[in-house]
Amino acid sequence: LLFVAVASGKKFFDRSPPKPSPPPDVYNSCDGVIQTGLRYGISGRGQPDVPVYVDRSETLADAVCCDRRAQYYAEPMYLFQEADIDLFGAIEANNETIFYDSVCGLPLFVAPVNRTMESFQEDSDEHGWPSFRELEVVHENVITDNVTGFVTSVCGTHLGSYLPDEFGPRWCIDLACIAGNPTDSEKLTEES
C-alpha cells in the first residue's frame, strides 16, 4: 500500500524499492558507478544481501563491489550457480571468457587459461565463488594485497579475496564485481 497525503501531495509512506544508487561518497571505494546491464543476470540482484548495514538503495553489486562497510563480506556463496545467474551455462565451454570490471569495464580475468573449462568450474564449485589462477589474472588491472587478502581493480572496485590453496595462488572473486561490459576501446581490442 502507498499512503499519500492528499491535501499536500507529499508521500508519507512508500514501500516501493528506491532507485538504485551507489554508496554515500564517504563509503564509496569505486571511481565510478556500477554499470547498468551487468552480464550473467547480476543486474537483476537488487537487494544488497550482506550482513552489515548498507543503504537500502544499493544493489548487491553496489554493496559488495563499492561500499567500504561491506568490504569484509562477499556476495552469497554459490551465487554463480543460482538459476537466474548460471555462470557456467552462460559462458562458452570451448572458449576463454574475459571478465570485466563492473564499474569501469577493464578486463580483469580471462578463464580458463592452461586448464579446461571443467577444471575452472570444479575449482569455483569447490570454493563457492569464481576462482581464478595466476595465468588468468590481468595483473595490470588487478591489485592483490598479500597482507589483507583484498583484491581490487585499478578503478577501486573491490573484487574479492586472494586465498592461495595447496595448488598455488588463487583469487576467489565476487561475480557481481566482474560482470561488467567492456569499454568501447576494450570492445575494439576484443574484436581484433
Side-chain angles (χ1 to χ4, degrees):
L1 288 175
L2 174 66
F3 296 97
V4 180
V6 178
S8 68
K10 293 183 180 179
K11 293 181 183 178
F12 284 109
F13 184 69
D14 184 352
R15 288 193 179 177
S16 60
K19 180 182 175 199
S21 65
D25 289 343
V26 68
Y27 300 118
N28 194 345
S29 66
C30 293
D31 291 345
V33 297
I34 294 289
Q35 296 176 359
T36 57
L38 294 176
R39 294 176 175 197
Y40 318 114
I42 292 294
S43 287
R45 292 299 176 118
Q47 293 298 317
D49 191 8
V50 293
V52 294
Y53 173 80
V54 295
D55 291 37
R56 194 171 91 93
S57 60
E58 292 180 40
T59 64
L60 176 65
D62 288 318
V64 172
C65 309
C66 297
D67 196 321
R68 287 186 181 97
R69 295 172 289 188
Q71 72 181 354
Y72 292 99
Y73 302 98
E75 68 194 15
M77 191 175 200
Y78 301 111
L79 175 72
F80 69 94
Q81 295 176 347
E82 294 288 330
D84 62 322
I85 306 292
D86 188 23
L87 173 64
F88 288 97
I91 60 179
E92 293 183 37
N94 297 321
N95 291 317
E96 293 177 346
T97 297
I98 302 171
F99 295 88
Y100 296 93
D101 190 296
S102 292
V103 173
C104 65
L106 289 176
L108 302 172
F109 299 93
V110 180
V113 174
N114 274 8
R115 62 178 172 162
T116 65
M117 184 63 75
E118 291 77 25
S119 175
F120 174 41
Q121 184 171 356
E122 286 171 9
D123 207 13
S124 299
D125 288 344
E126 179 182 340
H127 301 294
W129 289 271
S131 295
F132 300 91
R133 297 296 175 169
E134 184 77 40
L135 296 175
E136 298 169 328
V137 181
V138 181
H139 288 284
E140 61 266 22
N141 297 333
V142 175
I143 302 165
T144 302
D145 186 323
N146 292 318
V147 176
T148 65
F150 289 157
V151 180
T152 57
S153 77
V154 295
C155 303
T157 309
H158 177 80
L159 304 175
S161 300
Y162 176 67
L163 301 167
D165 64 7
E166 66 271 17
F167 302 109
R170 177 178 50 121
W171 287 258
C172 292
I173 303 300
D174 293 304
L175 183 60
C177 307
I178 60 168
N181 296 291
T183 62
D184 289 338
S185 62
E186 291 301 329
K187 284 180 192 171
L188 292 175
T189 304
E190 203 176 66
E191 293 168 0
S192 52

